[in-house]
Amino acid sequence: MAQRTEAASGLQGRSAMPHRLLLVDDETPILFAMANYFRAKGYVVDAAREREEAEALLTNVSYAAIIVDLRMTAVHGADGLEVVVYARERCPSARIIVLTAYGSPAAEAEARARGADAFLHKPQPLADLAQLLEALLGKHES
Amino acid sequence: MSSSPALDAILAPGGLQVAFQPIVEVRGQARHIHSLECLIRGPRGTNMEPPAVLFEYVRRKREETALDRACVASALKAASGLPAEVPLSLNVHAATLERDPEFVLYLTDEAAADAIAPGRLTVEIVEHAPLWSGPAFREALSALRDIGVGIALDDIGLGQSNYRMMIDCKPDYFKVDGYLVRGCRADFYRMAVLESVASLARRFGARVVAEGVEEEDDLAALVAVGVDLFQGHVLYPPLTLEALKESGILPRLDATA
């Protein structure tokens, strides 16, 4: 496997064009920390704090990957799932990772049935998340 | 106060950016600025800056009315720096005219605050659908006409801009989308549609504005079927107020600055 620098891991293999990543989480500190981390790794990052913002971006922008918090509001507990469904519809080839602090086998099964490629429990070290994302994107490219 | 940070930023004073795109009248060899369309972008440096994302987001939040009020306020404030005789067009969602019974009053008050006569204004109705063409919608159109505001119907020939909407709105302007305009010079079917739209507009006593004009050949083809108002990059792109002032395309701009 070709060696990659830490900073270049957001780049696609052959073309060196950066992957575009959408992050969706209603907790601003978490969202900003993830955005800064993945930008430093070479990804082009859009960060959305609510379902409608994510969906407006997905309507107009093509993403290589989406990382979405499962439960974003107290009222609409399934907002994250709706983002997964819409993301799968708008970006059929994107990799979708669901993060949640409220995980259960049933929740994971439902997320995967709706189109998620991975289901992780919070808190998740960013390095581990990045490694998973790279693996999913690499698997897709090959 | 709304329930989301993105919407708060959009609706905050100064949150929206305004640009003006000239609509040009072509008569023979002469070209004159007919009016300016006020175009909106979201807060600079945010996800909402591109208009497509901004309007999609607001539509999903069902906050078209709040956005339209913010757009009107921002556009009229920016336009207050323009020469008094320049007509302006403002985009307004059909949903706003249906759902906001105070919108026409709001528009009147904002125009007065910026010393802009309502007779200078045209409201371009966007994203119309049968859902938004009930009695309240028709009353709003009537109220706009009563104060001298013109009516334009956007996206003629596409989506919900059907014959029913034309009859309900009886617009002063038919705005033909760039999809029909681009490449029309060499497209028999596009020209057939454009010819019929131009003919229909004449029967309505309305004028046609061709949007998205990027080639002089297309402009010439449209002139040949009777279209005399044009908007697009072959003429002028959207310009900030500052760029308008520097361009010199509007008379007496320096005198009123």
Side-chain angles (χ1 to χ4, degrees), chain A residues 6-60:
Chain A
E6 185 76 7
S9 58
L11 300 178
Q12 298 183 45
R14 294 199 198 96
S15 66
M17 290 291 291
H19 286 296
R20 192 161 196 136
L21 175 61
L22 174 62
L23 304 174
V24 190
D25 198 312
D26 65 332
E27 293 187 68
T28 304
I30 293 174
L31 185 66
F32 284 2
M34 280 203 293
N36 289 337
Y37 181 83
F38 283 105
R39 284 186 184 120
K41 293 185 74 63
Y43 291 88
V44 174
V45 177
D46 289 330
R49 284 167 287 186
E50 58 182 314
R51 174 176 61 85
E52 293 88 347
E53 189 176 2
E55 289 174 347
L57 287 164
L58 285 162
T59 301
N60 291 283

Side-chain angles (χ1 to χ4, degrees), chain A residues 47 49-50 52-53 55-57 59-60 86, chain B residues 4-6 47-48 52-53 56-57 60-61:
Chain A
R49 284 167 287 186
E50 58 182 314
E52 293 88 347
E53 189 176 2
E55 289 174 347
L57 287 164
T59 301
N60 291 283
Y86 194 63
Chain B
S4 75
N47 290 334
M48 296 297 131
V53 179
E56 179 69 20
Y57 169 73
R60 287 178 178 273
K61 296 290 285 186

Side-chain angles (χ1 to χ4, degrees), chain A residues 57-102:
Chain A
L57 287 164
L58 285 162
T59 301
N60 291 283
V61 181
S62 182
Y63 293 99
I66 298 103
I67 301 176
V68 53
D69 181 33
L70 183 63
R71 184 184 295 192
M72 283 187 282
T73 66
V75 176
H76 300 291
D79 266 9
L81 270 182
E82 293 183 48
V83 173
V84 169
V85 171
Y86 194 63
R88 184 51 72 218
E89 177 189 319
R90 296 296 303 184
C91 305
S93 61
R95 305 295 93 187
I96 301 175
I97 299 173
V98 169
L99 295 175
T100 183
Y102 307 96

Side-chain angles (χ1 to χ4, degrees), chain B:
Chain B
M1 174 70 75
S2 72
S3 61
S4 75
L7 193 59
D8 290 343
I10 289 165
L11 299 179
L16 298 173
Q17 304 174 71
V18 181
F20 301 93
Q21 187 168 32
I23 295 172
V24 177
E25 181 176 44
V26 175
R27 290 195 181 277
Q29 297 303 310
R31 296 183 177 189
H32 306 284
I33 304 295
H34 171 269
S35 57
L36 299 171
E37 181 179 358
C38 303
L39 299 172
I40 298 292
R41 294 180 68 85
R44 194 182 307 275
T46 71
N47 290 334
M48 296 297 131
E49 184 168 6
V53 179
L54 169 68
F55 289 104
E56 179 69 20
Y57 169 73
V58 167
R59 187 182 68 78
R60 287 178 178 273
K61 296 290 285 186
R62 291 177 58 83
E63 292 280 3
E64 295 98 326
T65 297
L67 177 65
D68 280 350
R69 285 187 173 222
C71 289
V72 162
S74 300
L76 293 178
K77 184 174 179 186
S80 63
L82 294 169
E85 70 273 18
V86 177
L88 303 163
S89 62
L90 305 168
N91 290 283
V92 177
H93 289 86
T96 294
L97 297 177
E98 175 74 16
R99 298 201 301 233
D100 185 352
E102 303 296 318
F103 178 78
V104 177
L105 183 59
Y106 177 81
L107 173 65
T108 307
D109 289 346
E110 288 294 316
D114 291 309
I116 293 173
R120 280 177 63 190
L121 301 177
T122 294
V123 162
E124 288 191 22
I125 302 170
V126 301
E127 295 197 17
H128 25 74
L131 189 62
W132 309 126
S133 59
F137 175 79
R138 290 192 289 274
E139 279 172 29
L141 290 186
S142 180
L144 287 167
R145 288 211 155 86
D146 286 346
I147 59 172
V149 174
I151 302 296
L153 197 55
D154 204 19
D155 290 339
I156 286 287
L158 300 181
Q160 299 288 342
S161 261
N162 51 31
Y163 294 125
R164 174 179 169 168
M165 286 300 295
M166 292 175 193
I167 289 168
D168 285 350
C169 296
K170 297 180 184 57
D172 304 292
Y173 298 94
F174 285 25
K175 295 205 75 179
V176 177
D177 188 78
Y179 175 79
L180 294 172
V181 168
R182 281 186 289 274
C184 66
R185 168 69 180 87
D187 188 317
F188 171 82
Y189 299 100
R190 278 181 164 79
M191 286 308 303
V193 170
L194 290 164
E195 218 172 313
S196 75
V197 169
S199 173
L200 186 59
R202 278 191 294 274
R203 297 285 301 274
F204 271 64
R207 298 177 75 176
V208 175
V209 179
E211 295 184 298
V213 185
E214 296 174 357
E215 301 289 340
E216 285 286 348
D217 284 351
D218 290 335
L219 189 152
L222 287 156
V223 167
V225 298
V227 177
D228 63 355
L229 294 173
F230 300 90
Q231 189 176 352
H233 282 78
V234 75
L235 297 161
Y236 300 103
L239 299 166
T240 62
L241 180 62
E242 293 68 32
L244 261 181
K245 288 179 179 178
E246 289 170 16
S247 71
I249 62 175
L250 294 179
R252 297 172 49 220
L253 198 52
D254 292 338
T256 58

